[in-house]
Amino acid sequence: GILPQLEEINGRKVEPLELAAVTDLPTSGAGKGKTRRKQPPDEDLIGMVESLVLHACNVDDKIQAVHTHFEDAVREVISEAWNDVMALEAKPTVRSSEAVPWRPRESSKRTR
């Protein structure tokens, strides 16, 4: 078949019977009353299909890595934000009754 290296798709193992069934799929004209003579697949087509399958497997690996590490990454960011909030709350704050009103510095006053 043209996909002998296909072992898993969407996280599910491909069974040998399923792989065999894929290689026996009818061409697009079949089922419309037309019969087609079975021809060996073109080498360029085989290369494109194998390249596409390889790319899909690589993308699936990356998506699985995102799924695996996403919760940990989000948990870490939330923990950092929580720690920052707690650190801010632990600092003594100046009450408004204790605050000194702002006044311009002497050097910043305009003279006429």
Side-chain angles (χ1 to χ4, degrees):
I2 60 174
L3 302 172
Q5 76 281 6
L6 185 64
E7 296 174 3
E8 187 176 303
I9 189 164
N10 293 333
R12 188 175 78 70
K13 186 178 183 316
V14 175
E15 299 297 327
L17 288 175
E18 293 172 319
L19 192 56
V22 170
T23 59
D24 293 336
L25 288 176
T27 59
S28 62
K32 298 180 182 177
K34 298 178 184 176
T35 57
R36 294 186 131 189
R37 182 172 53 100
K38 233 181 182 180
Q39 297 178 354
D42 181 76
E43 291 299 317
D44 290 335
L45 177 62
I46 291 172
M48 287 189 309
V49 169
E50 287 178 348
S51 175
L52 180 62
V53 169
L54 179 63
H55 177 70
C57 291
N58 289 335
V59 169
D60 183 57
D61 289 343
K62 291 176 184 179
I63 290 171
Q64 291 300 324
V66 168
H67 282 267
T68 301
H69 300 290
F70 180 77
E71 286 184 22
D72 292 335
V74 170
R75 190 175 294 115
E76 182 179 334
V77 170
I78 290 173
S79 177
E80 288 175 10
W82 180 258
N83 290 338
D84 289 347
V85 168
M86 296 308 291
L88 287 174
E89 286 185 359
K91 289 183 181 180
T93 57
V94 177
R95 294 187 182 117
S96 60
S97 61
E98 298 172 355
V100 178
W102 179 83
R103 292 190 182 115
R105 293 185 192 167
E106 290 295 319
S107 62
S108 66
K109 289 185 179 177
R110 292 187 179 179
T111 56
R112 290 187 185 199

